[in-house]
Amino acid sequence: MLGEFEYLLLGAAARLGDDAYGVAIRVEIEGATKRRCSIGALYTTLDRLEAKGLVVTWMGDPTPQRGGRPKRMVRVTGKGIREAKAFYNAVSRASRGVSWA
Amino acid sequence: MWMLSVVARALEPGERAVVLGDIAESGEGFVAAACDLLGLIVRRQAAIWADWRPWLALLGVAGLAGVPLSRIVFGLNAGIGLQLRTYSKYGVWYDTGVTTQQEIVCVLCTAIALMAWSWACGFVLGSLSGRAVWITWYLFYQVVLHATWARFVLSGDIFLKDPRPLRLLILLAVPLPLSPASIPLFLSSLLGALHGASRRALSVSGAYLTCVVVVSLTILTFWTGGWHETAREVWSGGLWHGSAWVTRLPPFLFISWPAAWLVATAQRETA
């Protein structure tokens, strides 16, 4: 079962598609949660997801905007999509009949 | 940005470039960027310490070898200090009962052996600790420099005339080589740690050569150290008996074990 932050990261990476990398994923997560996402949390979680085979990462091309430094690109794997779906379904089932309002 | 680049050196080169790029692109302020960077470094360091190897480095090298090595460093500093103080005050050398030549040989043997032990200890620290090498090396250096005199102070054998706690604490915490024996210790152990962190293991021939050098220097230091014991026995007219070699030997074995580790890991690399 995924953790909450792992799910947020997978969701952000899936939404961004080919443009998924560190800064873009942070912006997505911060937009969704309205909370700050630290670089430490992002990259340690990304490593964990990669070790589980839920994402693959690789070094992108350097850009002038980044001072000539590369991006760490992210792609969600088939296993990652299945795990995210399972998490979403579990949360949906757990929320059925519950009104938080 | 240059300050962040310096701090980011605690990260692996690939990750360092990515993270500094992220910081540049996101246009974060210095404080937020520094917090982000330190947060990642702390998480990475914490992950390293989840492994058993840095702990083995800390307990085996800083603890097991560092404490007896501290006695050697203390003895060397005390011996050199006593001679220099006596000579500068009275114009003569302090008579320890051995000849000047023997004294010089004894000090040289110990100083060279200290370099070999420190290098071997540093290498094992580096090879076991990886990116935690700075922490384990710093703790090893502190143990070697301070364990013996701290024990003497705590046991009441030495009194600090004017301790000034804050000044003393700063002096102790900063790893500066401020005494004669701490210079070879500092340089050799740091060099060994950097080699160990980058190479991880020695070649079989290199490991055997290091082991032979360390063992030979250990035997020489052990043997020349006995001259003072004999001299004291002679001076006391047989009333004072020095430590038997059986009781003097174990600390030297503990100090030398990293050399055996180098041989063991070098063999494993080629197996």
Side-chain angles (χ1 to χ4, degrees):
Chain A
M1 186 78 165
L2 290 176
E4 173 202 320
F5 190 72
E6 289 175 333
Y7 177 76
L8 288 172
L9 204 156
L10 281 179
R15 206 162 29 249
L16 287 162
D18 291 341
D19 297 325
Y21 70 99
V23 175
I25 293 172
R26 272 180 84 190
V27 170
E28 281 285 317
I29 292 173
E30 286 175 355
T33 60
K34 307 291 177 214
R35 273 157 57 180
R36 197 165 182 281
C37 168
S38 75
I39 287 181
L42 178 76
Y43 282 115
T44 48
T45 308
L46 207 51
D47 285 352
R48 201 164 56 242
L49 290 174
E50 191 165 30
K52 289 181 188 173
L54 307 184
V55 296
V56 284
T57 70
W58 69 97
M59 290 294 180
D61 295 327
T63 62
Q65 193 189 6
R66 298 168 59 83
R69 297 183 185 91
K71 295 172 179 174
R72 186 173 173 186
M73 306 302 295
V74 181
R75 185 169 55 78
V76 183
T77 62
K79 192 182 172 190
I81 292 169
R82 282 195 298 279
E83 288 281 330
K85 213 169 174 178
F87 182 88
Y88 176 80
N89 289 337
V91 171
S92 299
R93 279 194 302 275
S95 308
R96 209 169 291 154
V98 179
S99 171
W100 298 112
Chain B
M1 193 69 184
W2 68 268
M3 260 179 87
L4 295 175
S5 302
V6 172
V7 176
R9 293 190 74 81
L11 298 170
E12 294 283 359
E15 184 163 56
R16 189 189 314 154
V18 168
V19 170
L20 289 174
D22 281 2
I23 289 170
E25 186 181 338
S26 62
E28 275 182 321
F30 175 78
V31 177
C35 287
D36 260 344
L37 193 55
L38 288 173
L40 179 61
I41 291 168
V42 168
R43 281 166 189 262
R44 292 295 188 220
Q45 285 290 327
I48 294 168
W49 288 92
D51 192 53
W52 57 273
R53 274 170 284 238
W55 293 103
L56 178 65
L58 207 56
L59 297 174
V61 181
L64 201 64
V67 173
L69 196 57
S70 175
R71 279 199 80 106
I72 305 268
V73 168
F74 184 85
L76 197 58
N77 275 333
I80 294 172
L82 183 67
Q83 291 292 354
L84 291 178
R85 264 199 312 277
T86 310
Y87 191 79
S88 65
K89 208 166 179 183
Y90 305 107
V92 290
W93 297 111
Y94 187 88
D95 185 10
T96 54
V98 298
T99 64
T100 310
Q101 287 87 345
Q102 282 180 316
E103 193 74 66
I104 291 169
V105 168
C106 200
V107 168
L108 276 179
C109 274
T110 312
I112 296 168
L114 176 63
M115 288 166 75
W117 290 321
S118 306
W119 190 89
C121 284
F123 193 96
V124 175
L125 277 178
S127 67
L128 284 173
S129 318
R131 276 188 291 135
V133 66
W134 290 108
I135 295 175
T136 52
W137 173 80
Y138 175 77
L139 292 173
F140 165 77
Y141 183 74
Q142 292 289 0
V143 166
V144 176
L145 268 194
H146 306 311
T148 298
W149 76 259
R151 195 163 59 83
F152 285 145
V153 170
L154 291 174
S155 64
D157 292 339
I158 292 180
F159 294 98
L160 296 174
K161 256 174 31 187
D162 179 18
R164 291 195 205 176
L166 187 65
R167 199 177 65 164
L168 188 70
L169 203 69
I170 293 168
L171 262 178
L172 294 183
V174 178
L176 287 176
L178 297 172
S179 57
S182 65
I183 296 167
L185 167 73
F186 179 87
L187 294 175
S188 301
S189 62
L190 189 59
L191 205 65
L194 293 175
H195 276 158
S198 61
R199 292 178 58 178
R200 298 287 166 146
L202 287 178
S203 64
V204 174
S205 55
Y208 273 110
L209 182 68
T210 309
C211 192
V212 166
V213 169
V214 168
V215 170
S216 306
L217 287 166
T218 304
I219 293 169
L220 264 177
T221 310
F222 183 73
W223 178 53
T224 55
W227 294 346
H228 285 103
E229 301 275 323
T230 312
R232 275 185 219 118
E233 280 186 16
V234 171
W235 174 80
S236 71
L239 292 173
W240 185 84
H241 298 287
S243 314
W245 69 271
V246 184
T247 52
R248 284 179 53 227
L249 189 61
F252 286 94
L253 294 179
F254 290 137
I255 291 170
S256 310
W257 86 263
W261 176 271
L262 291 180
V263 171
T265 50
Q267 283 167 336
R268 209 175 301 145
E269 288 284 305
T270 55

